Amino acid sequence: MKAVSLFSNCGAGDVGYATAGFRFYVISEIIQRRLDVASLNHPDAISIGGDLRQSWPEVVDAFRASHGLQAPVLLCGCPPCQGMSTAQSDRGLEADADAGTRDGRNLLALPFAHVAKELAPTFIVVENVPAFLRRKVYDPSRKDPVSAATLLTRRLKNNYHLYTLVINLSKYGVPQSRNRAFLTFVRKDSSAAEALIQTKKAPFPRPTHGAPELPDEITLDHALGELNLPALDAQSLESARTPEYPMHQVPLICAERYDMVAAIPPRSGASAWESNVCPSCGSVDAEQDTPLCPQCSSPLLRPVIREEDGTWRMIRGFRNSSYRRMSPDEPASTITTASGHIGSDRTLHPWENRVLSPAECAHLQTFPSDFMWGNAIDHWGHSPVRQMIGEAVPPLFTQMHGDILASLYHEKDSSMAMDSDDPHCLPPIQ
């Protein structure tokens, strides 16, 4: 089944669809090193680099060069989601279409629609954060404020039925909490569209975990046990890496921050913000917001900083999630592009004094063990690799999704597809 990938990142999500029987003939990605990794894992595909707003005709031409006017079965992609965030003040609230439109990434549904209309695939799949369904931008044609999902739907609705899924991927055995939106467009004149209507199904797999009649969601403890990698420690260069496993290494933590991390009880899921440990006095009885030990006035092993005038204060940050160990008894927290920063959202190892390694993050993202990285970690270092991992679509889910799409395309039994009235399926986008 012929496929085309846009916003391909490192090609990990596409690996899942490939396992389900799809073959990618064109992949497209703006960041060259990501495209290099994607090409390693999809060696038969033509690689198109550059900004899709300019390169989308090349994508169309590349597919048509070998297939003429034949349509691919699948067009898939994950437009950048950073512009959907409202964490920074200049991005405005979700309803602020002026701020939303200023970030051009929020309009990348438009070149996606151009490729879709030109190639007319049977299935179109778009993955993103749920804010993709809500974050307002101005439609360049009508000038009204709508979501990026609506931008795409308006341009495809004449020829496609749209099904929308919002779900935590831990429900599919992904060992992390990862709430995502999936839009699947099905061409109206296809047998797949007719089958979905007749059977009252949606083109998504049923959840496999986390319901009363299903297995429990996979915990972080279980997932790390599956890997069985050597212990690491972020205190020294020697203890922070394992030479025989290049992807299993972590950045060092400076001495004062290391002591703060080490003071968080292992397997507690606790945060350094809650620590009542003084380096000199040990455990003390301290107020929640105080930076200093009430007995000796030394800085507590909390996220504190010294001002220019010599006074100490607590670091301003997200106290519910930063400098916190992941809980071993639950799915991991969402693996993000900032997995290497101890002050980011729940990045600390549940019992070792460090963040998770790229190898562990990739496993939690369900990258297959034979995923090819080449010499990415040696050439580019931690951050670019962690960014690729954090922005990937978990291949475990895309394989399940691909299996459903393949069954629909081949007119086989689709009883394992989700019911269209499942609460995770949203009403049609207008």
Side-chain angles (χ1 to χ4, degrees), residues 283-304:
S283 295
V284 296
D285 185 12
E287 295 291 333
Q288 181 178 1
D289 293 327
T290 184
L292 301 179
C293 173
Q295 297 181 18
C296 70
S297 297
S298 297
L300 293 170
L301 294 178
R302 291 176 172 178
V304 299

mmCIF file of all heavy atoms in Angstrom, residues 283-304:
data_model
loop_
_atom_site.group_PDB
_atom_site.id
_atom_site.type_symbol
_atom_site.label_atom_id
_atom_site.label_comp_id
_atom_site.label_asym_id
_atom_site.label_seq_id
_atom_site.Cartn_x
_atom_site.Cartn_y
_atom_site.Cartn_z
ATOM 1 N N SER A 283 17.268 16.189 57.888
ATOM 2 C CA SER A 283 15.840 16.495 57.804
ATOM 3 C C SER A 283 15.463 17.522 58.858
ATOM 4 O O SER A 283 15.840 17.394 60.037
ATOM 5 C CB SER A 283 15.012 15.222 58.001
ATOM 6 O OG SER A 283 15.238 14.306 56.952
ATOM 7 N N VAL A 284 14.708 18.536 58.405
ATOM 8 C CA VAL A 284 14.285 19.601 59.315
ATOM 9 C C VAL A 284 12.800 19.880 59.085
ATOM 10 O O VAL A 284 12.198 19.405 58.125
ATOM 11 C CB VAL A 284 15.100 20.897 59.073
ATOM 12 C CG1 VAL A 284 16.566 20.665 59.396
ATOM 13 C CG2 VAL A 284 14.934 21.379 57.640
ATOM 14 N N ASP A 285 12.230 20.646 59.984
ATOM 15 C CA ASP A 285 10.836 21.052 59.857
ATOM 16 C C ASP A 285 10.823 22.459 59.258
ATOM 17 O O ASP A 285 11.087 23.440 59.944
ATOM 18 C CB ASP A 285 10.173 21.035 61.235
ATOM 19 C CG ASP A 285 8.681 21.333 61.153
ATOM 20 O OD1 ASP A 285 8.137 21.324 60.019
ATOM 21 O OD2 ASP A 285 8.066 21.574 62.208
ATOM 22 N N ALA A 286 10.527 22.543 57.935
ATOM 23 C CA ALA A 286 10.619 23.832 57.238
ATOM 24 C C ALA A 286 9.300 24.174 56.575
ATOM 25 O O ALA A 286 8.567 23.288 56.128
ATOM 26 C CB ALA A 286 11.731 23.788 56.195
ATOM 27 N N GLU A 287 8.997 25.465 56.512
ATOM 28 C CA GLU A 287 7.804 25.927 55.808
ATOM 29 C C GLU A 287 7.913 25.600 54.319
ATOM 30 O O GLU A 287 9.021 25.501 53.762
ATOM 31 C CB GLU A 287 7.642 27.439 55.999
ATOM 32 C CG GLU A 287 7.383 27.879 57.433
ATOM 33 C CD GLU A 287 6.015 27.464 57.936
ATOM 34 O OE1 GLU A 287 5.112 27.323 57.079
ATOM 35 O OE2 GLU A 287 5.851 27.256 59.148
ATOM 36 N N GLN A 288 6.781 25.479 53.678
ATOM 37 C CA GLN A 288 6.748 25.045 52.279
ATOM 38 C C GLN A 288 7.512 25.992 51.359
ATOM 39 O O GLN A 288 8.182 25.556 50.436
ATOM 40 C CB GLN A 288 5.298 24.916 51.804
ATOM 41 C CG GLN A 288 5.156 24.448 50.360
ATOM 42 C CD GLN A 288 3.703 24.287 49.957
ATOM 43 O OE1 GLN A 288 2.789 24.542 50.735
ATOM 44 N NE2 GLN A 288 3.487 23.871 48.713
ATOM 45 N N ASP A 289 7.421 27.296 51.578
ATOM 46 C CA ASP A 289 7.990 28.261 50.647
ATOM 47 C C ASP A 289 9.320 28.845 51.112
ATOM 48 O O ASP A 289 9.823 29.789 50.498
ATOM 49 C CB ASP A 289 6.996 29.409 50.417
ATOM 50 C CG ASP A 289 5.760 28.948 49.677
ATOM 51 O OD1 ASP A 289 5.885 28.036 48.837
ATOM 52 O OD2 ASP A 289 4.666 29.485 49.954
ATOM 53 N N THR A 290 9.886 28.323 52.150
ATOM 54 C CA THR A 290 11.136 28.901 52.626
ATOM 55 C C THR A 290 12.324 28.287 51.907
ATOM 56 O O THR A 290 12.375 27.078 51.679
ATOM 57 C CB THR A 290 11.302 28.712 54.151
ATOM 58 O OG1 THR A 290 12.496 29.384 54.575
ATOM 59 C CG2 THR A 290 11.425 27.238 54.501
ATOM 60 N N PRO A 291 13.324 29.100 51.526
ATOM 61 C CA PRO A 291 14.506 28.559 50.842
ATOM 62 C C PRO A 291 15.603 28.129 51.812
ATOM 63 O O PRO A 291 16.544 27.454 51.398
ATOM 64 C CB PRO A 291 14.972 29.733 49.987
ATOM 65 C CG PRO A 291 14.553 30.942 50.748
ATOM 66 C CD PRO A 291 13.282 30.567 51.468
ATOM 67 N N LEU A 292 15.509 28.531 53.095
ATOM 68 C CA LEU A 292 16.623 28.335 54.022
ATOM 69 C C LEU A 292 16.240 27.415 55.173
ATOM 70 O O LEU A 292 15.073 27.337 55.588
ATOM 71 C CB LEU A 292 17.083 29.685 54.583
ATOM 72 C CG LEU A 292 17.547 30.719 53.551
ATOM 73 C CD1 LEU A 292 17.953 32.009 54.247
ATOM 74 C CD2 LEU A 292 18.693 30.169 52.712
ATOM 75 N N CYS A 293 17.236 26.724 55.700
ATOM 76 C CA CYS A 293 17.055 25.852 56.851
ATOM 77 C C CYS A 293 16.709 26.691 58.083
ATOM 78 O O CYS A 293 17.389 27.682 58.375
ATOM 79 C CB CYS A 293 18.338 25.060 57.098
ATOM 80 S SG CYS A 293 18.326 24.087 58.624
ATOM 81 N N PRO A 294 15.646 26.335 58.812
ATOM 82 C CA PRO A 294 15.278 27.127 59.997
ATOM 83 C C PRO A 294 16.276 26.977 61.143
ATOM 84 O O PRO A 294 16.234 27.760 62.097
ATOM 85 C CB PRO A 294 13.910 26.545 60.378
ATOM 86 C CG PRO A 294 13.919 25.152 59.817
ATOM 87 C CD PRO A 294 14.738 25.209 58.581
ATOM 88 N N GLN A 295 17.200 26.023 61.072
ATOM 89 C CA GLN A 295 18.152 25.812 62.162
ATOM 90 C C GLN A 295 19.496 26.503 61.912
ATOM 91 O O GLN A 295 20.036 27.153 62.796
ATOM 92 C CB GLN A 295 18.379 24.313 62.371
ATOM 93 C CG GLN A 295 17.127 23.561 62.791
ATOM 94 C CD GLN A 295 17.380 22.079 63.004
ATOM 95 O OE1 GLN A 295 18.527 21.642 63.174
ATOM 96 N NE2 GLN A 295 16.322 21.278 62.986
ATOM 97 N N CYS A 296 20.020 26.378 60.667
ATOM 98 C CA CYS A 296 21.358 26.938 60.420
ATOM 99 C C CYS A 296 21.372 28.007 59.327
ATOM 100 O O CYS A 296 22.438 28.568 59.032
ATOM 101 C CB CYS A 296 22.340 25.833 60.065
ATOM 102 S SG CYS A 296 22.044 25.090 58.432
ATOM 103 N N SER A 297 20.222 28.265 58.707
ATOM 104 C CA SER A 297 20.066 29.281 57.655
ATOM 105 C C SER A 297 20.835 28.952 56.371
ATOM 106 O O SER A 297 21.067 29.826 55.544
ATOM 107 C CB SER A 297 20.495 30.675 58.163
ATOM 108 O OG SER A 297 19.666 31.078 59.220
ATOM 109 N N SER A 298 21.241 27.703 56.195
ATOM 110 C CA SER A 298 21.822 27.277 54.929
ATOM 111 C C SER A 298 20.707 27.009 53.926
ATOM 112 O O SER A 298 19.571 26.706 54.303
ATOM 113 C CB SER A 298 22.642 25.994 55.119
ATOM 114 O OG SER A 298 23.721 26.223 55.977
ATOM 115 N N PRO A 299 21.016 27.098 52.625
ATOM 116 C CA PRO A 299 19.979 26.800 51.631
ATOM 117 C C PRO A 299 19.548 25.337 51.732
ATOM 118 O O PRO A 299 20.389 24.433 51.824
ATOM 119 C CB PRO A 299 20.651 27.078 50.284
ATOM 120 C CG PRO A 299 21.931 27.751 50.591
ATOM 121 C CD PRO A 299 22.263 27.538 52.006
ATOM 122 N N LEU A 300 18.254 25.118 51.732
ATOM 123 C CA LEU A 300 17.733 23.761 51.718
ATOM 124 C C LEU A 300 17.976 23.138 50.341
ATOM 125 O O LEU A 300 18.249 23.844 49.358
ATOM 126 C CB LEU A 300 16.234 23.775 52.021
ATOM 127 C CG LEU A 300 15.828 24.211 53.429
ATOM 128 C CD1 LEU A 300 14.311 24.408 53.496
ATOM 129 C CD2 LEU A 300 16.284 23.188 54.464
ATOM 130 N N LEU A 301 17.877 21.810 50.271
ATOM 131 C CA LEU A 301 18.035 21.109 48.996
ATOM 132 C C LEU A 301 16.724 21.189 48.217
ATOM 133 O O LEU A 301 16.053 20.191 47.944
ATOM 134 C CB LEU A 301 18.465 19.661 49.248
ATOM 135 C CG LEU A 301 19.859 19.519 49.858
ATOM 136 C CD1 LEU A 301 20.186 18.056 50.108
ATOM 137 C CD2 LEU A 301 20.917 20.160 48.958
ATOM 138 N N ARG A 302 16.382 22.424 47.900
ATOM 139 C CA ARG A 302 15.192 22.764 47.134
ATOM 140 C C ARG A 302 15.639 23.587 45.921
ATOM 141 O O ARG A 302 16.784 24.041 45.867
ATOM 142 C CB ARG A 302 14.202 23.583 47.975
ATOM 143 C CG ARG A 302 13.541 22.818 49.106
ATOM 144 C CD ARG A 302 12.653 23.727 49.936
ATOM 145 N NE ARG A 302 11.863 22.976 50.911
ATOM 146 C CZ ARG A 302 11.031 23.528 51.782
ATOM 147 N NH1 ARG A 302 10.885 24.848 51.816
ATOM 148 N NH2 ARG A 302 10.343 22.768 52.615
ATOM 149 N N PRO A 303 14.760 23.813 44.937
ATOM 150 C CA PRO A 303 15.115 24.676 43.797
ATOM 151 C C PRO A 303 15.202 26.137 44.248
ATOM 152 O O PRO A 303 14.234 26.888 44.197
ATOM 153 C CB PRO A 303 13.958 24.465 42.811
ATOM 154 C CG PRO A 303 13.302 23.189 43.237
ATOM 155 C CD PRO A 303 13.457 23.153 44.732
ATOM 156 N N VAL A 304 16.378 26.539 44.727
ATOM 157 C CA VAL A 304 16.581 27.889 45.255
ATOM 158 C C VAL A 304 17.659 28.586 44.441
ATOM 159 O O VAL A 304 18.470 27.955 43.766
ATOM 160 C CB VAL A 304 16.965 27.855 46.750
ATOM 161 C CG1 VAL A 304 15.857 27.221 47.572
ATOM 162 C CG2 VAL A 304 18.286 27.097 46.953
#
